[in-house]
Amino acid sequence: MPISMSPRMQRDTRHLVYGEVIQLQHLRTKQFLRIRGKQPAILHKTSRRVDMHKGSVNSWLRLNPFFKHKLQGVPVTVNEQLSLESVKLGNRWSLSWSRCRNMCKDEVIEINCNRESRGFYLELYGRGVAQNLKVLSCPSPLRLLNSHCGGFIAASCSKAKPLVFLHKKSGTLRQSAKDIWILEPGLPGRA
């Protein structure tokens, strides 16, 4: 069931521009997407692990344009491909995905952080959010679409399973509470 924006959310809404720092909070678990800079990804060893955590400097992501014709300071528009760079790692370490094989030799798509920036589309989610909205604002309920693989970034609703994965269904995209995130402002002043 889609969520509605509360009056507080509508009042505290502010537009985002490229270069700002944000966090992605999972709707169900209230945990944040975290990039673990010193741990390799489980399957793609040259990448860094992405999981869920209560929030820290490892959760801060900088909104960067995916294409060169956009500049820092320009408002971020909805349904536009962008790159989410790790503030802690910097130097073009961005949220990404890799096709790899697991121990059973099945081809899987792992969500990780690496230097091969593969952009995501931010799609607004919810009844209280105007679908004709052009500029992305914070806080907003949204989903992160990976158009190449035909799925959304998702996480388990159980805190015992902290890994982030690509949620997809063959043929059509599925809607699930596992792939809804709340875009929250980052807090770079509190390191």
Side-chain angles (χ1 to χ4, degrees):
M1 181 164 109
I3 60 173
S4 298
M5 285 182 74
S6 69
R8 183 192 65 80
M9 267 179 112
Q10 291 173 350
R11 183 183 67 243
D12 296 340
T13 297
R14 66 179 179 82
H15 296 300
L16 293 172
V17 296
Y18 285 115
E20 279 196 66
V21 176
I22 55 111
Q23 300 179 86
L24 292 171
Q25 183 181 33
H26 193 244
L27 178 69
R28 284 284 178 95
T29 62
K30 304 294 186 217
Q31 291 187 327
F32 293 91
L33 186 136
R34 170 178 71 168
I35 296 172
R36 301 186 73 177
K38 294 187 178 181
Q39 282 197 323
I42 294 172
L43 299 174
H44 195 254
K45 298 299 182 190
T46 59
S47 300
R48 300 295 173 253
R49 187 173 299 176
V50 173
D51 63 7
M52 303 297 295
H53 196 257
K54 62 185 176 191
S56 67
V57 68
N58 294 328
S59 301
W60 296 342
L61 302 168
R62 186 177 322 282
L63 294 168
N64 285 332
F66 187 76
F67 297 106
K68 303 266 188 235
H69 68 275
K70 295 282 184 174
L71 301 172
Q72 300 288 356
V74 172
V76 179
T77 58
V78 176
N79 295 330
E80 178 177 42
Q81 193 171 11
L82 53 79
S83 174
L84 297 166
E85 180 183 66
S86 169
V87 171
K88 177 102 177 183
L89 296 177
N91 294 330
R92 301 178 44 99
W93 282 92
S94 298
L95 190 64
S96 190
W97 55 272
S98 299
R99 286 186 196 272
C100 34
R101 297 206 176 269
N102 61 14
M103 292 180 180
C104 299
K105 305 294 182 209
D106 297 326
E107 185 175 285
V108 294
I109 298 167
E110 178 181 62
I111 302 298
N112 54 39
C113 179
N114 63 39
R115 291 184 183 216
E116 301 170 19
S117 178
R118 299 183 181 177
F120 293 93
Y121 293 91
L122 302 181
E123 288 189 353
L124 290 176
Y125 182 85
R127 279 182 273 177
V129 179
Q131 295 302 316
N132 59 356
L133 195 64
K134 299 284 187 236
V135 179
L136 190 64
S137 59
C138 184
S140 293
L142 53 85
R143 299 162 78 200
L144 287 99
L145 174 66
N146 180 323
S147 61
H148 300 295
C149 301
F152 294 98
I153 293 182
S156 173
C157 292
S158 166
K159 290 183 180 180
K161 299 176 184 176
L163 292 182
V164 179
F165 56 92
L166 194 74
H167 192 216
K168 69 178 192 172
K169 183 179 177 183
S170 57
T172 61
L173 292 177
R174 239 168 89 174
Q175 290 198 3
S176 167
K178 293 179 178 184
D179 55 32
I180 303 172
W181 302 86
I182 304 295
L183 190 67
E184 294 285 344
L187 305 170
R190 296 187 191 172

